[in-house]
């Protein structure tokens, strides 16, 4: 949906406790969430403002966000199973 943000907590509400724990104790996880949020905010801004960007660049940003989300999910799920 246009302009919709996809935060990690919104995407995985069932893992809220694990996410909050990881944010406090795992610097790598925190860094990846920060990168994810930065890309998400950039995409939302591009969609809302209509800033000129090539289709390839827009697609690459979206693909990187998906890669980060997949990586974060694996970390979250692994932490929740501990």
């Amino acid at each position: 949906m246009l302009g919709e943000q996809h935060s990690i907590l919104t995407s995985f509400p069932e893992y809220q406790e694990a996410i909050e724990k990881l944010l406090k104790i795992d610097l790598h996880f925190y860094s990846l969430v920060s990168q994810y949020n930065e890309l998400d905010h950039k995409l939302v801004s591009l969609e809302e403002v209509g800033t000129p960007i090539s289709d390839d660049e827009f697609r690459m940003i979206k693909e990187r966000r998906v890669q980060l989300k997949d990586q974060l999910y694996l970390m979250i799920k692994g932490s929740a199973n501990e």
Side-chain angles (χ1 to χ4, degrees):
M1 191 166 251
L2 186 63
E4 183 178 340
Q5 292 190 347
H6 302 273
S7 77
I8 294 301
L9 279 173
T10 303
S11 298
F12 308 116
E14 68 276 19
Y15 292 114
Q16 180 176 351
E17 189 175 311
I19 293 168
E20 289 173 353
K21 175 185 163 192
L22 284 168
L23 285 169
K24 291 178 184 173
I25 65 169
D26 188 330
L27 290 176
H28 181 64
F29 181 81
Y30 183 89
S31 174
L32 293 176
V33 169
S34 295
Q35 291 174 45
Y36 176 87
N37 288 338
E38 184 178 316
L39 290 176
D40 191 51
H41 291 296
K42 183 173 185 171
L43 287 169
V44 169
S45 293
L46 290 169
E47 290 171 340
E48 288 179 344
V49 177
T51 304
I53 186 172
S54 72
D55 289 343
D56 286 339
E57 187 176 353
F58 190 76
R59 182 183 45 76
M60 287 179 8
I61 295 169
K62 287 183 90 167
E63 286 176 2
R64 178 63 183 142
R65 183 181 64 177
V66 168
Q67 291 169 350
L68 284 168
K69 190 173 189 176
D70 290 345
Q71 187 176 359
L72 289 165
Y73 176 74
L74 292 175
M75 294 173 78
I76 294 164
K77 192 169 179 189
S79 173
N81 292 333
E82 290 180 353

